[in-house]
Amino acid sequence: MSSEQTVLEVKAAEITKSFLEDLEKLSYYSGEPMAAVYADSLLRRMRDMLDRCIGDPYTEVVMALHDALAFQNRWIDYTREQYQGAYNLFLSLVNQETISDTEVENSILALDDLGFDIMPFGVQLEDNAQEDEKDI
């Protein structure tokens, strides 16, 4: 592993640590107006991480959660338990020096298991196929 790659991974892990407090507070205030303050801060930090650390394994997991929260402001709909689960997941990730591709995949699936819509921008191919058949 090159020293540049190590620096990127450490940087991404440090940025991830920086938003853990927002995630924890979002869990605490879920369903209350104060949650908006922490959701805004969390989403901003996540986008900042994408700008600084694109391609880093931590960033992939962070952006899966970002998309689930940001799409149609769905952060409002998630529960305290879901946010606490995400907090625990990211806490376990940042305590590792590096994470593998398998751990990235498993972490994203863990977010899905917690009920986060990790692919909110997905394409529904079945609906498109039905519309194509109508045109024929």
Side-chain angles (χ1 to χ4, degrees):
M1 180 182 331
S2 71
S3 63
E4 182 178 324
Q5 186 177 2
T6 303
V7 170
L8 282 177
E9 289 175 359
V10 170
K11 188 175 184 181
E14 289 304 313
I15 293 171
T16 305
K17 284 180 186 177
S18 76
F19 69 69
L20 282 174
E21 183 177 351
D22 287 332
L23 194 53
E24 185 176 40
K25 294 287 187 177
L26 190 54
S27 171
Y28 183 78
Y29 289 108
S30 178
E32 299 178 23
M34 189 66 175
V37 172
Y38 298 105
D40 178 61
S41 177
L42 177 63
L43 291 169
R44 286 177 192 270
R45 289 176 195 246
M46 290 173 149
R47 284 189 295 270
D48 180 52
M49 182 176 183
L50 178 63
D51 291 342
R52 291 182 183 194
C53 305
I54 193 163
D56 186 276
Y58 288 101
T59 305
E60 291 182 46
V61 181
V62 168
M63 292 316 295
L65 180 60
H66 173 275
D67 291 350
L69 301 178
F71 184 72
Q72 298 179 343
N73 285 322
R74 288 191 180 158
W75 64 266
I76 295 169
D77 300 326
Y78 295 115
T79 66
R80 291 178 180 183
E81 293 77 18
Q82 288 171 299
Y83 285 121
Q84 188 61 47
Y87 172 85
N88 293 339
L89 173 70
F90 283 106
L91 185 61
S92 71
L93 290 177
V94 298
N95 287 328
Q96 299 178 39
E97 190 171 315
T98 61
I99 58 174
S100 68
D101 290 341
T102 302
E103 290 169 311
V104 168
E105 291 173 18
N106 290 339
S107 297
I108 292 172
L109 291 173
L111 289 171
D112 187 54
D113 289 346
L114 287 168
F116 290 102
D117 184 3
I118 57 169
M119 296 182 68
F121 303 107
V123 177
Q124 296 179 350
L125 297 176
E126 290 179 20
D127 290 342
N128 292 340
Q130 290 173 357
E131 288 178 21
D132 289 343
E133 288 176 10
K134 289 178 186 177
D135 292 339
I136 295 179

